[in-house]
Amino acid sequence: MSLQRMESTGWGRTVRSVSTEYAPQSIDELQEYVRDGKNPRGFIAHGLRRSYGDSSLNIGGITIDAAFLSRLEFHPNAPVVTVGAGVSIRTLEKASLERKLFPPVVPGTGLVSIGGAIAADIHGKSHHITGAFSSCVKRIQLLYSDGEIRDLYPEGPTADHFWATVGGLGLTGMILEADLQLIQMNTPSVLVEETRVNDLDEMLTLLSASDETFQHTVAWIDLSGDFRGRGVVGKGNYVSQELSAKQEEPTKSKNAPTLTFPKIGPFSLINKFSVRAFNEMWFRKPLTRGVSSIDSFMHPLDQIQNWNRIYGDRGFIQYQFVVPEGNEDFLAHVLVTMKDLGAASFLGVLKKFGKGSPAPLSFPKPGWTLALDIPAHLHNLESTLNSLDSQLCDRDGRIYLVKDARLKPEFLPTMYPRLEEWRGIRNNMDPRGMWQSDQSRRLKLC
Ligand SMILES: Cc1cc2nc3c(=O)[nH]c(=O)nc-3n(C[C@H](O)[C@H](O)[C@H](O)COP(=O)(O)OP(=O)(O)OC[C@H]3O[C@@H](n4cnc5c(N)ncnc54)[C@H](O)[C@@H]3O)c2cc1C
Protein backbone atom coordinates (compact mmCIF):
# COMPACT_ATOMS: atom_id res chain seq x y z
CA MET A 1 0.00 0.00 0.00
CA SER A 2 1.43 3.37 -1.02
CA LEU A 3 1.17 5.97 1.76
CA GLN A 4 3.38 9.03 1.90
CA ARG A 5 3.50 12.20 3.99
CA MET A 6 3.30 15.08 1.55
CA GLU A 7 2.94 18.86 1.38
CA SER A 8 0.43 19.94 -1.23
CA THR A 9 -1.04 23.17 -2.46
CA GLY A 10 -3.86 24.34 -4.71
CA TRP A 11 -3.24 26.03 -8.08
CA GLY A 12 -3.20 29.51 -6.47
CA ARG A 13 -0.37 28.40 -4.14
CA THR A 14 -1.71 30.43 -1.20
CA VAL A 15 -2.59 27.45 0.99
CA ARG A 16 -0.13 24.70 1.90
CA SER A 17 -1.24 21.54 3.63
CA VAL A 18 0.57 18.43 4.89
CA SER A 19 -1.41 15.20 4.67
CA THR A 20 -0.89 11.49 4.14
CA GLU A 21 -1.11 10.88 0.41
CA TYR A 22 -2.61 7.52 -0.51
CA ALA A 23 -2.10 6.24 -4.05
CA PRO A 24 -4.30 3.11 -4.35
CA GLN A 25 -3.29 0.32 -6.71
CA SER A 26 -6.78 -1.13 -7.19
CA ILE A 27 -10.42 -0.46 -6.38
CA ASP A 28 -10.53 -3.47 -4.03
CA GLU A 29 -7.61 -2.11 -2.02
CA LEU A 30 -9.19 1.36 -1.91
CA GLN A 31 -12.55 -0.04 -0.79
CA GLU A 32 -10.97 -1.87 2.11
CA TYR A 33 -8.89 1.16 3.12
CA VAL A 34 -11.90 3.49 3.14
CA ARG A 35 -14.13 1.00 4.97
CA ASP A 36 -11.54 0.65 7.74
CA GLY A 37 -10.67 4.37 7.76
CA LYS A 38 -10.00 5.60 11.27
CA ASN A 39 -8.23 8.93 10.81
CA PRO A 40 -10.33 11.57 12.60
CA ARG A 41 -9.49 14.09 9.84
CA GLY A 42 -10.99 11.68 7.32
CA PHE A 43 -10.10 11.60 3.63
CA ILE A 44 -10.65 13.54 0.44
CA ALA A 45 -10.14 12.46 -3.18
CA HIS A 46 -8.12 14.60 -5.54
CA GLY A 47 -7.46 14.77 -9.26
CA LEU A 48 -4.97 17.09 -10.94
CA ARG A 49 -5.10 19.80 -8.24
CA ARG A 50 -6.31 22.56 -10.56
CA SER A 51 -8.68 23.84 -7.89
CA TYR A 52 -7.20 27.11 -6.68
CA GLY A 53 -7.58 26.93 -2.91
CA ASP A 54 -8.10 24.18 -0.33
CA SER A 55 -10.91 22.07 -1.89
CA SER A 56 -8.59 19.08 -2.47
CA LEU A 57 -6.41 19.49 0.65
CA ASN A 58 -6.77 17.78 4.03
CA ILE A 59 -4.23 18.83 6.64
CA GLY A 60 -3.45 15.99 9.06
CA GLY A 61 -5.80 13.65 7.19
CA ILE A 62 -5.67 11.44 4.10
CA THR A 63 -5.69 12.62 0.49
CA ILE A 64 -6.52 9.96 -2.11
CA ASP A 65 -5.03 10.23 -5.59
CA ALA A 66 -7.54 9.27 -8.30
CA ALA A 67 -4.85 8.89 -10.98
CA PHE A 68 -5.14 5.07 -11.09
CA LEU A 69 -8.76 5.32 -12.27
CA SER A 70 -7.78 5.40 -15.93
CA ARG A 71 -10.54 3.43 -17.69
CA LEU A 72 -11.55 4.87 -21.08
CA GLU A 73 -14.09 2.81 -22.98
CA PHE A 74 -16.27 4.09 -25.82
CA HIS A 75 -19.68 2.46 -26.21
CA PRO A 76 -19.96 0.74 -29.61
CA ASN A 77 -23.44 1.91 -30.63
CA ALA A 78 -23.83 5.33 -29.03
CA PRO A 79 -21.76 8.50 -28.54
CA VAL A 80 -21.18 7.58 -24.90
CA VAL A 81 -17.93 6.90 -23.05
CA THR A 82 -17.25 5.23 -19.71
CA VAL A 83 -14.34 7.09 -18.22
CA GLY A 84 -12.34 6.70 -15.02
CA ALA A 85 -12.32 9.61 -12.57
CA GLY A 86 -8.55 10.03 -12.93
CA VAL A 87 -8.61 10.57 -16.70
CA SER A 88 -7.93 14.15 -17.76
CA ILE A 89 -10.22 16.16 -20.01
CA ARG A 90 -7.25 16.47 -22.39
CA THR A 91 -6.92 12.67 -22.70
CA LEU A 92 -10.67 12.32 -23.14
CA GLU A 93 -10.73 15.02 -25.84
CA LYS A 94 -7.90 13.39 -27.76
CA ALA A 95 -9.43 9.90 -27.68
CA SER A 96 -12.86 11.30 -28.54
CA LEU A 97 -11.61 13.28 -31.52
CA GLU A 98 -10.11 10.10 -32.98
CA ARG A 99 -13.73 8.85 -33.14
CA LYS A 100 -15.14 12.19 -34.35
CA LEU A 101 -16.65 12.84 -30.91
CA PHE A 102 -16.07 15.52 -28.28
CA PRO A 103 -17.18 16.34 -24.71
CA PRO A 104 -19.86 19.06 -24.91
CA VAL A 105 -18.44 20.99 -21.92
CA VAL A 106 -14.71 21.60 -21.45
CA PRO A 107 -12.95 24.07 -19.11
CA GLY A 108 -10.21 26.61 -19.83
CA THR A 109 -7.54 23.98 -19.17
CA GLY A 110 -7.44 20.37 -20.38
CA LEU A 111 -5.61 19.39 -17.17
CA VAL A 112 -8.71 18.73 -15.11
CA SER A 113 -9.71 15.18 -14.13
CA ILE A 114 -13.19 13.77 -14.73
CA GLY A 115 -13.63 13.43 -10.94
CA GLY A 116 -12.68 17.10 -10.47
CA ALA A 117 -14.97 18.14 -13.33
CA ILE A 118 -17.99 16.44 -11.73
CA ALA A 119 -17.14 17.42 -8.15
CA ALA A 120 -17.02 21.10 -9.23
CA ASP A 121 -19.71 20.87 -11.94
CA ILE A 122 -17.35 22.83 -14.14
CA HIS A 123 -18.44 25.14 -16.95
CA GLY A 124 -16.94 26.18 -20.26
CA LYS A 125 -17.32 28.75 -23.00
CA SER A 126 -20.44 26.89 -24.17
CA HIS A 127 -22.41 27.30 -20.93
CA HIS A 128 -25.11 29.51 -22.49
CA ILE A 129 -26.02 26.54 -24.74
CA THR A 130 -24.93 23.34 -23.00
CA GLY A 131 -25.15 24.21 -19.31
CA ALA A 132 -22.52 22.85 -16.90
CA PHE A 133 -20.56 19.58 -17.09
CA SER A 134 -23.30 17.59 -15.33
CA SER A 135 -25.50 18.03 -18.40
CA CYS A 136 -23.48 15.29 -20.11
CA VAL A 137 -23.08 12.96 -17.08
CA LYS A 138 -25.40 9.95 -17.38
CA ARG A 139 -24.05 7.83 -14.52
CA ILE A 140 -21.64 8.28 -11.64
CA GLN A 141 -20.04 5.35 -9.86
CA LEU A 142 -19.36 6.42 -6.29
CA LEU A 143 -17.40 4.86 -3.43
CA TYR A 144 -19.18 5.62 -0.13
CA SER A 145 -17.45 5.90 3.23
CA ASP A 146 -18.93 2.52 4.28
CA GLY A 147 -16.86 0.94 1.47
CA GLU A 148 -19.88 0.25 -0.75
CA ILE A 149 -19.83 1.19 -4.45
CA ARG A 150 -23.10 2.40 -5.98
CA ASP A 151 -24.22 3.61 -9.40
CA LEU A 152 -26.02 6.96 -9.32
CA TYR A 153 -28.27 8.38 -12.05
CA PRO A 154 -29.63 11.89 -12.66
CA GLU A 155 -33.20 10.60 -12.41
CA GLY A 156 -34.92 7.95 -10.31
CA PRO A 157 -34.26 6.71 -6.76
CA THR A 158 -30.55 7.66 -6.71
CA ALA A 159 -31.06 11.17 -8.12
CA ASP A 160 -30.60 13.00 -4.79
CA HIS A 161 -27.21 11.29 -4.24
CA PHE A 162 -26.24 11.99 -7.87
CA TRP A 163 -27.00 15.73 -7.62
CA ALA A 164 -25.38 16.07 -4.18
CA THR A 165 -22.20 14.58 -5.69
CA VAL A 166 -22.28 16.96 -8.68
CA GLY A 167 -20.64 20.14 -7.37
CA GLY A 168 -20.25 18.36 -4.01
CA LEU A 169 -16.48 18.95 -3.79
CA GLY A 170 -15.68 15.31 -3.00
CA LEU A 171 -17.66 15.43 0.25
CA THR A 172 -20.21 12.72 -0.59
CA GLY A 173 -17.68 10.05 -1.61
CA MET A 174 -15.02 9.24 -4.17
CA ILE A 175 -16.10 9.23 -7.81
CA LEU A 176 -14.64 6.14 -9.50
CA GLU A 177 -15.99 6.49 -13.02
CA ALA A 178 -18.77 8.08 -15.06
CA ASP A 179 -20.72 7.61 -18.28
CA LEU A 180 -20.59 10.74 -20.41
CA GLN A 181 -22.72 11.66 -23.41
CA LEU A 182 -20.50 13.07 -26.17
CA ILE A 183 -21.36 15.15 -29.22
CA GLN A 184 -20.52 14.33 -32.84
CA MET A 185 -17.59 16.36 -34.13
CA ASN A 186 -16.83 16.41 -37.83
CA THR A 187 -13.49 18.21 -37.58
CA PRO A 188 -11.05 19.10 -34.77
CA SER A 189 -11.53 22.79 -35.57
CA VAL A 190 -13.39 25.88 -34.46
CA LEU A 191 -14.22 28.90 -36.61
CA VAL A 192 -13.06 31.75 -34.39
CA GLU A 193 -13.93 35.42 -34.49
CA GLU A 194 -12.20 37.79 -32.06
CA THR A 195 -13.28 41.42 -31.61
CA ARG A 196 -11.53 44.19 -29.69
CA VAL A 197 -13.82 46.26 -27.43
CA ASN A 198 -13.00 49.54 -25.71
CA ASP A 199 -15.01 49.38 -22.50
CA LEU A 200 -17.25 47.23 -20.35
CA ASP A 201 -20.53 48.38 -21.92
CA GLU A 202 -19.31 47.40 -25.37
CA MET A 203 -18.12 44.06 -24.00
CA LEU A 204 -21.44 43.23 -22.32
CA THR A 205 -23.42 44.17 -25.42
CA LEU A 206 -21.25 42.10 -27.72
CA LEU A 207 -21.22 39.06 -25.42
CA SER A 208 -25.03 39.11 -25.12
CA ALA A 209 -25.52 39.46 -28.87
CA SER A 210 -22.93 36.76 -29.68
CA ASP A 211 -24.68 34.17 -27.50
CA GLU A 212 -27.45 34.00 -30.11
CA THR A 213 -25.16 32.92 -32.96
CA PHE A 214 -22.07 31.35 -31.39
CA GLN A 215 -21.68 28.04 -29.55
CA HIS A 216 -18.72 29.41 -27.58
CA THR A 217 -18.28 32.93 -26.17
CA VAL A 218 -15.88 34.44 -23.64
CA ALA A 219 -14.09 37.75 -23.11
CA TRP A 220 -10.63 38.60 -21.83
CA ILE A 221 -10.58 41.84 -19.80
CA ASP A 222 -7.58 44.10 -19.40
CA LEU A 223 -6.87 44.31 -15.65
CA SER A 224 -4.47 47.24 -15.78
CA GLY A 225 -4.43 50.98 -16.52
CA ASP A 226 -7.84 52.52 -15.94
CA PHE A 227 -9.66 49.15 -15.59
CA ARG A 228 -12.49 50.42 -17.79
CA GLY A 229 -13.20 46.94 -19.12
CA ARG A 230 -11.55 47.06 -22.50
CA GLY A 231 -10.58 43.66 -23.89
CA VAL A 232 -11.09 41.03 -26.54
CA VAL A 233 -14.31 39.07 -27.06
CA GLY A 234 -13.71 35.57 -28.46
CA LYS A 235 -16.50 33.68 -30.22
CA GLY A 236 -16.43 30.33 -31.95
CA ASN A 237 -18.47 27.68 -33.71
CA TYR A 238 -17.48 24.10 -34.44
CA VAL A 239 -16.43 23.73 -38.06
CA SER A 240 -18.51 21.57 -40.37
CA GLN A 241 -16.80 19.09 -42.73
CA GLU A 242 -17.57 21.16 -45.83
CA LEU A 243 -16.16 24.39 -44.45
CA SER A 244 -13.07 22.66 -43.14
CA ALA A 245 -12.24 21.28 -46.59
CA LYS A 246 -12.08 24.84 -47.93
CA GLN A 247 -9.93 26.17 -45.11
CA GLU A 248 -6.29 25.74 -44.31
CA GLU A 249 -5.38 23.19 -41.66
CA PRO A 250 -5.38 24.74 -38.19
CA THR A 251 -1.94 26.03 -37.36
CA LYS A 252 -1.71 25.10 -33.68
CA SER A 253 -3.10 21.68 -32.96
CA LYS A 254 -0.60 20.15 -30.58
CA ASN A 255 -1.81 18.87 -27.25
CA ALA A 256 1.51 19.12 -25.47
CA PRO A 257 2.36 22.37 -23.70
CA THR A 258 5.13 24.28 -25.46
CA LEU A 259 6.66 26.34 -22.64
CA THR A 260 7.39 25.67 -18.98
CA PHE A 261 7.52 28.53 -16.53
CA PRO A 262 10.70 28.30 -14.42
CA LYS A 263 10.76 28.17 -10.62
CA ILE A 264 11.40 31.74 -9.45
CA GLY A 265 11.36 31.17 -5.71
CA PRO A 266 9.81 33.80 -3.50
CA PHE A 267 9.77 36.54 -6.12
CA SER A 268 6.77 37.67 -8.08
CA LEU A 269 7.16 38.88 -11.65
CA ILE A 270 3.98 40.87 -11.24
CA ASN A 271 4.38 44.62 -10.97
CA LYS A 272 2.40 47.45 -12.51
CA PHE A 273 4.93 47.86 -15.35
CA SER A 274 5.08 44.19 -16.41
CA VAL A 275 1.32 43.81 -16.16
CA ARG A 276 0.63 47.03 -18.08
CA ALA A 277 3.05 46.02 -20.84
CA PHE A 278 1.62 42.51 -21.13
CA ASN A 279 -1.99 43.69 -21.18
CA GLU A 280 -1.23 46.34 -23.78
CA MET A 281 0.43 43.72 -25.96
CA TRP A 282 -2.45 41.27 -25.52
CA PHE A 283 -5.04 43.94 -26.31
CA ARG A 284 -3.18 44.92 -29.50
CA LYS A 285 -2.26 41.38 -30.64
CA PRO A 286 -3.51 40.41 -34.12
CA LEU A 287 -7.07 39.16 -33.80
CA THR A 288 -7.85 35.56 -34.76
CA ARG A 289 -10.47 35.35 -37.48
CA GLY A 290 -10.67 31.96 -39.11
CA VAL A 291 -10.21 28.30 -38.39
CA SER A 292 -8.31 27.39 -35.23
CA SER A 293 -7.62 24.02 -33.60
CA ILE A 294 -10.09 23.09 -30.87
CA ASP A 295 -7.21 22.68 -28.44
CA SER A 296 -5.75 26.17 -28.80
CA PHE A 297 -9.21 27.77 -28.76
CA MET A 298 -10.46 25.88 -25.70
CA HIS A 299 -7.24 25.78 -23.67
CA PRO A 300 -5.02 28.74 -24.59
CA LEU A 301 -3.27 28.78 -21.19
CA ASP A 302 -2.08 25.19 -21.56
CA GLN A 303 0.61 26.39 -23.96
CA ILE A 304 2.55 27.54 -20.86
CA GLN A 305 3.10 25.01 -18.08
CA ASN A 306 3.16 26.15 -14.44
CA TRP A 307 2.25 29.75 -15.26
CA ASN A 308 0.90 30.01 -11.70
CA ARG A 309 4.54 30.41 -10.54
CA ILE A 310 4.61 33.92 -11.98
CA TYR A 311 3.04 35.20 -8.74
CA GLY A 312 5.99 33.99 -6.64
CA ASP A 313 5.77 32.14 -3.33
CA ARG A 314 2.87 34.20 -1.94
CA GLY A 315 0.67 32.95 -4.76
CA PHE A 316 -2.59 34.44 -5.99
CA ILE A 317 -6.32 34.36 -5.42
CA GLN A 318 -8.76 33.75 -8.20
CA TYR A 319 -11.91 35.67 -7.34
CA GLN A 320 -14.70 34.27 -9.51
CA PHE A 321 -18.31 35.20 -8.92
CA VAL A 322 -21.65 35.24 -10.74
CA VAL A 323 -24.31 37.98 -10.46
CA PRO A 324 -27.75 37.92 -12.09
CA GLU A 325 -28.42 40.14 -15.10
CA GLY A 326 -29.43 43.64 -14.04
CA ASN A 327 -26.28 43.90 -11.85
CA GLU A 328 -23.95 45.12 -14.59
CA ASP A 329 -23.07 48.13 -12.39
CA PHE A 330 -21.55 45.65 -9.91
CA LEU A 331 -19.12 44.41 -12.57
CA ALA A 332 -17.94 47.98 -13.15
CA HIS A 333 -17.74 48.49 -9.37
CA VAL A 334 -15.52 45.41 -8.97
CA LEU A 335 -13.15 46.66 -11.69
CA VAL A 336 -12.85 50.07 -10.01
CA THR A 337 -12.30 48.35 -6.66
CA MET A 338 -9.48 46.30 -8.20
CA LYS A 339 -7.93 49.47 -9.58
CA ASP A 340 -8.07 51.16 -6.16
CA LEU A 341 -6.54 48.06 -4.59
CA GLY A 342 -3.67 48.10 -7.10
CA ALA A 343 -4.70 44.60 -8.19
CA ALA A 344 -3.27 44.74 -11.71
CA SER A 345 -3.01 41.28 -13.19
CA PHE A 346 -2.97 39.26 -16.41
CA LEU A 347 -6.13 37.30 -16.21
CA GLY A 348 -9.65 38.67 -16.16
CA VAL A 349 -12.37 36.63 -17.85
CA LEU A 350 -16.02 37.53 -18.38
CA LYS A 351 -18.78 35.20 -19.59
CA LYS A 352 -22.55 35.15 -19.61
CA PHE A 353 -24.06 32.01 -18.08
CA GLY A 354 -27.21 30.24 -19.24
CA LYS A 355 -29.41 28.00 -17.07
CA GLY A 356 -28.12 26.44 -13.85
CA SER A 357 -28.05 22.68 -13.12
CA PRO A 358 -30.24 20.87 -10.55
CA ALA A 359 -27.25 20.36 -8.20
CA PRO A 360 -27.65 22.30 -4.91
CA LEU A 361 -23.97 23.34 -4.81
CA SER A 362 -23.43 23.92 -8.53
CA PHE A 363 -21.95 27.36 -9.15
CA PRO A 364 -23.34 28.56 -12.51
CA LYS A 365 -26.69 30.32 -12.64
CA PRO A 366 -28.06 32.81 -15.18
CA GLY A 367 -26.08 36.05 -15.19
CA TRP A 368 -22.55 37.34 -15.55
CA THR A 369 -19.50 35.52 -14.25
CA LEU A 370 -16.26 37.40 -13.79
CA ALA A 371 -12.98 35.67 -12.86
CA LEU A 372 -10.02 37.76 -11.70
CA ASP A 373 -6.54 36.61 -10.76
CA ILE A 374 -5.26 38.79 -7.91
CA PRO A 375 -1.77 38.67 -6.35
CA ALA A 376 -2.25 37.44 -2.77
CA HIS A 377 0.23 39.82 -1.11
CA LEU A 378 -1.81 42.99 -1.66
CA HIS A 379 -2.49 45.18 1.34
CA ASN A 380 -6.23 45.25 2.27
CA LEU A 381 -7.05 42.38 -0.08
CA GLU A 382 -8.88 40.36 2.55
CA SER A 383 -11.13 43.18 3.77
CA THR A 384 -11.84 44.30 0.20
CA LEU A 385 -12.92 40.83 -0.89
CA ASN A 386 -15.00 40.37 2.28
CA SER A 387 -16.82 43.58 1.43
CA LEU A 388 -17.40 42.41 -2.17
CA ASP A 389 -18.72 39.07 -0.84
CA SER A 390 -21.22 40.91 1.31
CA GLN A 391 -22.37 43.05 -1.64
CA LEU A 392 -22.63 39.89 -3.75
CA CYS A 393 -25.01 38.41 -1.17
CA ASP A 394 -27.22 41.53 -1.42
CA ARG A 395 -27.35 41.00 -5.19
CA ASP A 396 -28.11 37.29 -5.21
CA GLY A 397 -24.62 36.48 -6.37
CA ARG A 398 -22.19 33.78 -5.30
CA ILE A 399 -18.56 32.85 -5.58
CA TYR A 400 -17.17 29.67 -7.18
CA LEU A 401 -16.11 27.36 -4.34
CA VAL A 402 -13.52 25.39 -6.29
CA LYS A 403 -11.65 28.65 -6.92
CA ASP A 404 -12.03 29.79 -3.31
CA ALA A 405 -9.33 29.91 -0.64
CA ARG A 406 -10.67 32.56 1.76
CA LEU A 407 -14.47 32.95 1.86
CA LYS A 408 -16.03 33.39 5.33
CA PRO A 409 -18.60 30.70 6.27
CA GLU A 410 -21.29 33.24 7.18
CA PHE A 411 -21.78 34.16 3.51
CA LEU A 412 -22.31 30.59 2.36
CA PRO A 413 -26.03 30.05 3.14
CA THR A 414 -26.99 33.23 1.25
CA MET A 415 -24.79 32.44 -1.72
CA TYR A 416 -25.93 28.81 -1.83
CA PRO A 417 -29.53 28.89 -0.54
CA ARG A 418 -29.93 25.10 -0.99
CA LEU A 419 -26.99 24.40 1.35
CA GLU A 420 -29.19 22.86 4.09
CA GLU A 421 -30.85 20.52 1.59
CA TRP A 422 -27.38 19.44 0.37
CA ARG A 423 -26.15 18.95 3.97
CA GLY A 424 -29.10 16.68 4.73
CA ILE A 425 -28.40 14.43 1.74
CA ARG A 426 -24.67 14.48 2.34
CA ASN A 427 -25.01 13.51 6.02
CA ASN A 428 -27.24 10.66 4.98
CA MET A 429 -24.62 9.49 2.45
CA ASP A 430 -21.71 9.80 4.88
CA PRO A 431 -23.08 9.52 8.44
CA ARG A 432 -19.55 9.05 9.87
CA GLY A 433 -18.43 12.35 8.28
CA MET A 434 -15.35 10.71 6.77
CA TRP A 435 -15.11 12.84 3.63
CA GLN A 436 -13.53 16.11 4.72
CA SER A 437 -11.24 18.78 3.33
CA ASP A 438 -9.52 21.91 4.59
CA GLN A 439 -12.21 23.85 2.73
CA SER A 440 -15.12 21.88 4.22
CA ARG A 441 -13.82 22.62 7.74
CA ARG A 442 -13.04 26.30 6.96
CA LEU A 443 -16.49 26.89 5.46
CA LYS A 444 -18.30 24.57 7.91
CA LEU A 445 -19.79 22.96 4.82
CA CYS A 446 -20.85 19.69 6.43
C1 LIG B 1 -5.92 27.32 -15.75
C2 LIG B 1 -7.23 26.87 -15.19
C3 LIG B 1 -8.38 27.07 -15.92
C4 LIG B 1 -9.62 26.66 -15.40
N1 LIG B 1 -10.74 26.88 -16.14
C5 LIG B 1 -11.94 26.53 -15.67
C6 LIG B 1 -13.12 26.74 -16.42
O1 LIG B 1 -13.07 27.23 -17.54
N2 LIG B 1 -14.32 26.36 -15.89
C7 LIG B 1 -14.39 25.78 -14.64
O2 LIG B 1 -15.50 25.46 -14.22
N3 LIG B 1 -13.28 25.55 -13.91
C8 LIG B 1 -12.08 25.92 -14.39
N4 LIG B 1 -10.95 25.68 -13.64
C9 LIG B 1 -11.10 25.02 -12.34
C10 LIG B 1 -11.08 23.49 -12.46
O3 LIG B 1 -11.88 23.06 -13.53
C11 LIG B 1 -11.63 22.85 -11.19
O4 LIG B 1 -10.93 23.30 -10.08
C12 LIG B 1 -11.59 21.31 -11.21
O5 LIG B 1 -12.29 20.81 -10.12
C13 LIG B 1 -10.15 20.83 -11.15
O6 LIG B 1 -10.10 19.43 -11.34
P1 LIG B 1 -8.90 18.58 -10.70
O7 LIG B 1 -8.87 17.25 -11.33
O8 LIG B 1 -7.65 19.37 -10.76
O9 LIG B 1 -9.44 18.45 -9.21
P2 LIG B 1 -8.72 18.79 -7.82
O10 LIG B 1 -8.27 20.21 -7.83
O11 LIG B 1 -7.74 17.76 -7.51
O12 LIG B 1 -10.01 18.67 -6.86
C14 LIG B 1 -11.05 19.61 -6.98
C15 LIG B 1 -12.26 19.12 -6.20
O13 LIG B 1 -12.75 17.93 -6.81
C16 LIG B 1 -12.78 16.87 -5.88
N5 LIG B 1 -12.43 15.64 -6.58
C17 LIG B 1 -11.41 15.44 -7.45
N6 LIG B 1 -11.41 14.16 -7.87
C18 LIG B 1 -12.44 13.55 -7.26
C19 LIG B 1 -12.97 12.22 -7.27
N7 LIG B 1 -12.42 11.24 -8.00
N8 LIG B 1 -14.04 11.95 -6.49
C20 LIG B 1 -14.63 12.91 -5.74
N9 LIG B 1 -14.17 14.18 -5.69
C21 LIG B 1 -13.10 14.48 -6.43
C22 LIG B 1 -11.75 17.23 -4.82
O14 LIG B 1 -12.05 16.60 -3.59
C23 LIG B 1 -11.93 18.74 -4.76
O15 LIG B 1 -13.01 19.08 -3.93
C24 LIG B 1 -9.70 26.05 -14.12
C25 LIG B 1 -8.54 25.84 -13.39
C26 LIG B 1 -7.31 26.24 -13.91
C27 LIG B 1 -6.06 25.99 -13.11
Side-chain angles (χ1 to χ4, degrees), residues 11 44-52 55-56 66 85 107-109 111-113 115-117 119-120 122-124 169-170 173-175 301 307 400 402-403:
W11 186 251
I44 193 77
H46 74 85
L48 292 167
R49 290 241 157 87
R50 259 45 184 195
S51 48
Y52 281 67
S55 310
S56 74
T109 170
L111 294 170
V112 161
S113 71
I122 59 162
H123 55 271
L169 301 164
M174 180 159 172
I175 299 161
L301 280 171
W307 57 262
Y400 192 10
V402 90
K403 303 272 179 88

Side-chain angles (χ1 to χ4, degrees), residues 146-158:
D146 61 5
E148 291 302 308
I149 294 174
R150 299 182 181 96
D151 283 326
L152 311 177
Y153 298 91
E155 281 159 11
T158 58

Side-chain angles (χ1 to χ4, degrees), residues 9-12 43-57 64-67 69 84-89 105-125 132-133 140-143 165 167-177 218 298-299 301-302 307-308 316 318 320 347 349 353 363-364 373 400-403 435-437 439:
T9 175
W11 186 251
F43 18 68
I44 193 77
H46 74 85
L48 292 167
R49 290 241 157 87
R50 259 45 184 195
S51 48
Y52 281 67
D54 48 2
S55 310
S56 74
L57 308 179
I64 308 179
D65 190 351
L69 297 164
V87 173
S88 71
I89 293 277
V105 177
V106 297
T109 170
L111 294 170
V112 161
S113 71
I114 298 303
I118 295 172
D121 201 11
I122 59 162
H123 55 271
K125 299 175 178 64
F133 194 75
I140 295 171
Q141 189 179 73
L142 192 75
L143 171 66
T165 300
L169 301 164
L171 299 168
T172 60
M174 180 159 172
I175 299 161
L176 302 179
E177 65 178 33
V218 74
M298 298 295 185
H299 315 303
L301 280 171
D302 289 355
W307 57 262
N308 55 340
F316 68 108
Q318 185 170 99
Q320 180 170 4
L347 201 92
V349 175
F353 277 153
F363 166 67
D373 282 359
Y400 192 10
L401 295 179
V402 90
K403 303 272 179 88
W435 301 104
Q436 301 178 29
S437 65
Q439 183 178 48

Side-chain angles (χ1 to χ4, degrees), residues 123 125 203 207 217-223 301 318-321 346-351 368-373 403:
H123 55 271
K125 299 175 178 64
M203 185 175 281
L207 275 173
T217 57
V218 74
W220 165 80
I221 292 198
D222 182 347
L223 294 180
L301 280 171
Q318 185 170 99
Y319 191 67
Q320 180 170 4
F321 64 86
F346 300 117
L347 201 92
V349 175
L350 183 67
K351 158 93 198 138
W368 296 103
T369 182
L370 181 60
L372 309 166
D373 282 359
K403 303 272 179 88

